């Protein structure tokens, strides 16, 4: 891997409050950052960069966090201020809604380090009302164009990514994002901004989850795509405009090993 991410996903004040641990947010976030640094050192990989996770504040895929804007800003500032002390990149990841993503990115942008924003997508296409066509959309139903416009003017924004969604959906989104950024149109972002893809290695659609629940299967979902299949999906993403590829849920070190060969060769 060229980049590893701190393991503080869902270490947010709102999420921790469910266990009465909200006052441990700094302790647990710092530990996650330190573990990432220790892993890099143990691997003898000084060149590997560490991305600090700035996750959604409540639940994955929840499109309204139920917090006032001022509280959302406060919580994202707290997380960004902690992780920025330890990491190379500030990664606002698995963002299901455009406004929350922009708030997270603004909180990250003041630290003078690269800011990456990763959106999670509906796995089943929805109608993009503005474009009047079926297209990849955020889990909030918002269009990719709307999401990108909400990132305009944010300092140190160096990459826009898609993650935690079906590989094919992510690839189509990468193609659309690349087009929106490169062409002269409604999106005013640096045309040299990087575009990233780190999809799940298993299905995440509601239909698939319901099917498992109906079967009474409570086991963790096993990878649906083996290493070669996943590398093939990553290759498609690179061909459609991605400059960063990686893996989210269901991926293993073997998945990463296979896709790293794509970048090497």
């Amino acid at each position: 891997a060229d980049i590893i991410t701190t393991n503080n996903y869902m270490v947010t004040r709102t999420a921790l409050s469910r266990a009465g641990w909200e006052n441990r947010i700094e302790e647990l976030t710092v530990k996650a950052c330190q573990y990432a640094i220790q892993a890099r050192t143990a691997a003898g990989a000084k060149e590997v960069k560490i991305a600090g996770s700035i996750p959604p504040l409540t639940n994955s895929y929840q499109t309204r966090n139920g917090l006032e804007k001022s509280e959302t800003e406060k919580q994202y500032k707290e997380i960004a201020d902690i992780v920025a002390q330890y990491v190379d990149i500030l990664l606002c990841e698995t963002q299901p809604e455009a406004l929350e993503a922009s708030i997270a990115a603004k909180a990250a942008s003041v630290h003078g380090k690269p800011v990456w924003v990763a959106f999670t997508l509906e796995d089943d296409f929805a109608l993009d009302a503005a474009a009047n066509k079926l297209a990849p959309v955020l889990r909030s139903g918002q269009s990719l164009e709307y999401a990108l416009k909400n990132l305009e003017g944010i300092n140190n924004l160096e990459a826009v990514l898609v993650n935690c969604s079906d590989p094919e959906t992510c690839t189509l989104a990468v193609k659309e994002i690349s087009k929106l950024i490169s062409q002269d149109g409604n999106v005013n972002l640096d045309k040299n901004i990087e575009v990233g893809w780190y999809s799940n290695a298993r299905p995440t659609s509601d239909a698939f989850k319901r099917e498992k629940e109906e079967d009474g299967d409570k086991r963790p979902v096993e990878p649906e795509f083996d290493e070669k299949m996943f590398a093939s999906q990553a290759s498609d993403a690179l061909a459609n405009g991605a400059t960063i590829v990686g893996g989210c849920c269901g991926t293993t070190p073997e998945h990463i090993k296979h896709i790293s060969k794509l970048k090497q060769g």
Side-chain angles (χ1 to χ4, degrees), residues 8-23:
N8 60 305
Y9 190 82
M10 283 295 97
V11 180
T12 70
R13 191 167 288 276
T14 298
L16 291 172
S17 68
R18 298 170 197 146
W21 284 12
E22 60 268 34
N23 292 328

Side-chain angles (χ1 to χ4, degrees), residues 167-182:
E168 292 183 359
T169 304
C170 285
T171 298
L172 289 168
V174 159
K175 184 177 182 179
E176 181 70 10
I177 290 169
S178 298
K179 178 182 175 183
L180 288 166
I181 291 173
S182 64

Side-chain angles (χ1 to χ4, degrees), residues 207-226:
F208 177 79
K209 286 184 283 189
R210 283 197 302 270
E211 184 177 310
K212 285 185 67 63
E213 289 168 1
E214 289 168 0
D215 289 343
D217 188 351
K218 304 300 183 183
R219 294 172 299 170
V221 180
E222 295 299 323
E224 178 75 7
F225 299 100
D226 66 22

Side-chain angles (χ1 to χ4, degrees), residues 196-214:
W197 174 103
Y198 64 112
S199 85
N200 292 338
R202 57 170 172 76
T204 55
S205 70
D206 288 340
F208 177 79
K209 286 184 283 189
R210 283 197 302 270
E211 184 177 310
K212 285 185 67 63
E213 289 168 1
E214 289 168 0

Side-chain angles (χ1 to χ4, degrees), residues 15 34 58 64 76 111 116 132 138 151 155 159-160 187 192 218 229 238 243:
Q34 290 173 337
T58 50
R64 293 290 184 271
Y76 273 125
H111 293 285
W116 292 9
N132 194 29
L138 274 60
L151 299 179
N155 293 330
V160 175
V187 174
N192 294 316
K218 304 300 183 183
M229 292 171 63
L238 290 167
T243 54

Side-chain angles (χ1 to χ4, degrees), residues 106-255:
K106 287 173 185 175
S109 69
V110 302
H111 293 285
K113 294 185 175 183
V115 175
W116 292 9
V117 178
F119 295 103
T120 181
L121 311 166
E122 280 290 344
D123 292 309
D124 300 317
F125 288 177
L127 179 65
D128 179 341
N132 194 29
K133 65 179 182 180
L134 289 175
V137 296
L138 274 60
R139 294 193 185 273
S140 60
Q142 296 162 325
S143 70
L144 291 169
E145 181 175 335
Y146 180 78
L148 294 176
K149 285 188 67 62
N150 272 267
L151 299 179
E152 292 176 354
I154 292 177
N155 293 330
N156 301 307
L157 180 67
E158 294 193 7
V160 175
L161 310 91
V162 288
N163 81 302
C164 208
S165 308
D166 176 82
E168 292 183 359
T169 304
C170 285
T171 298
L172 289 168
V174 159
K175 184 177 182 179
E176 181 70 10
I177 290 169
S178 298
K179 178 182 175 183
L180 288 166
I181 291 173
S182 64
Q183 68 185 12
D184 293 325
N186 294 329
V187 174
N188 185 23
L189 292 176
D190 184 342
K191 288 182 169 50
N192 294 316
I193 200 167
E194 295 207 66
V195 179
W197 174 103
Y198 64 112
S199 85
N200 292 338
R202 57 170 172 76
T204 55
S205 70
D206 288 340
F208 177 79
K209 286 184 283 189
R210 283 197 302 270
E211 184 177 310
K212 285 185 67 63
E213 289 168 1
E214 289 168 0
D215 289 343
D217 188 351
K218 304 300 183 183
R219 294 172 299 170
V221 180
E222 295 299 323
E224 178 75 7
F225 299 100
D226 66 22
E227 296 83 357
K228 291 182 180 179
M229 292 171 63
F230 192 70
S232 177
Q233 296 282 353
S235 179
D236 287 345
L238 290 167
N240 280 280
T243 54
I244 301 165
V245 290
C248 198
C249 301
T251 53
T252 68
E254 285 301 313
H255 286 87

